[in-house]
Amino acid sequence: MRYHQLIAWIRDEIASTKVVLSEEVVGYEETLEPNPEMYWSESTDLPTTRDRQHVIIKTPIVEVVERTVPDRERRSHAAEALAAFVLSDERYLYLAEELMRRDPLYLPHWERLLLHGRGIRTRKAALRHLGRAPWQIFIRAVGAVAAVFGSLCAVCALICFYAAIVYCIWPDSKVGVWMASVVKRILAEATRMIYD
């Protein structure tokens, strides 16, 4: 029965919030001022009235507002208790996966489960939540390689595009003749490699 009370306490603490006061912009006060375009030779980027006689100046109104935010300290203590609870009985791993979602606040607790967990399922779950599962590492590596090759392909495409423009407009210029000779050498080498 005491496990149920502990789980209920952990759920309440992880869902805990607190009220904080913060200064925020709650609206804008609009005022009209003479348009400098009408009197001097200056231009303005500010919005104007329909007759362009006045510019519209928006002044922000800042007030202290109450906001409900997660209580990170209480959540961290509850996550620490939950990690200790899961380490004592790894059948409750489902509870950790349900309550400790991908939030940087819970990373140290997942690290603790990874280091001290005895079951393979616990270690796999901890690796997944830490972003170190083999498939996550593979996806990041593929993304990095694709980014490098994507930028290289973009540079090559840009070079080919400008070379085609130069060759089509000025084929008899020194640059056009040089590009034609380079392309012919590349094609000759490619055919030699294919047929040899």
Side-chain angles (χ1 to χ4, degrees):
M1 185 66 179
R2 68 171 209 265
Y3 280 172
H4 297 296
Q5 292 172 346
L6 178 62
I7 291 171
W9 177 81
I10 288 172
R11 283 184 186 275
D12 287 343
E13 289 295 300
I14 285 186
S16 65
T17 58
K18 63 181 177 180
V19 177
V20 295
L21 299 175
S22 63
E23 289 187 351
E24 294 184 10
V25 176
V26 294
Y28 293 92
E29 181 181 349
E30 293 184 355
T31 56
L32 298 178
E33 291 188 6
N35 190 353
E37 284 182 349
M38 306 307 283
Y39 305 105
W40 302 286
S41 60
E42 297 179 17
S43 64
T44 180
D45 293 332
L46 296 172
T48 60
T49 55
R50 282 189 180 195
D51 60 359
R52 298 193 56 82
Q53 295 291 321
H54 296 89
V55 292
I56 302 169
I57 307 292
K58 289 186 176 181
T59 309
I61 301 169
V62 179
E63 290 183 4
V64 176
V65 181
E66 288 185 353
R67 289 282 176 219
T68 303
V69 296
D71 191 345
R72 296 186 69 78
E73 187 176 335
R74 286 174 62 187
R75 286 182 174 201
S76 179
H77 291 311
E80 187 176 340
L82 179 58
F85 180 56
V86 169
L87 287 174
S88 68
D89 189 355
E90 292 188 6
R91 290 179 300 163
Y92 290 98
L93 178 65
Y94 74 92
L95 187 64
E97 291 198 81
E98 176 190 336
L99 297 176
M100 294 195 302
R101 297 275 178 195
R102 293 287 301 247
D103 187 347
L105 176 69
Y106 302 128
L107 291 180
H109 308 296
W110 283 114
E111 192 76 43
R112 181 176 169 202
L113 287 172
L114 175 65
L115 293 174
H116 302 293
R118 292 182 300 276
I120 293 174
R121 199 168 144 251
T122 304
R123 288 196 294 273
K124 282 184 178 179
L127 281 172
R128 188 175 65 250
H129 284 278
L130 289 169
R132 288 190 253 161
W135 61 272
Q136 291 170 322
I137 294 170
F138 175 74
I139 288 174
R140 279 198 299 272
V142 167
V145 169
V148 169
F149 280 122
S151 60
L152 286 176
C153 289
V155 168
C156 290
L158 198 63
I159 290 171
C160 291
F161 175 73
Y162 284 121
I165 288 176
V166 168
Y167 185 72
C168 290
I169 295 176
W170 301 291
D172 295 332
S173 66
K174 286 183 179 181
V175 176
V177 171
W178 175 79
M179 282 192 295
S181 67
V182 168
V183 169
K184 285 178 186 174
R185 274 187 274 147
I186 290 172
L187 291 174
E189 187 66 25
T191 55
R192 187 189 63 77
M193 290 172 65
I194 290 172
Y195 293 115
D196 285 346

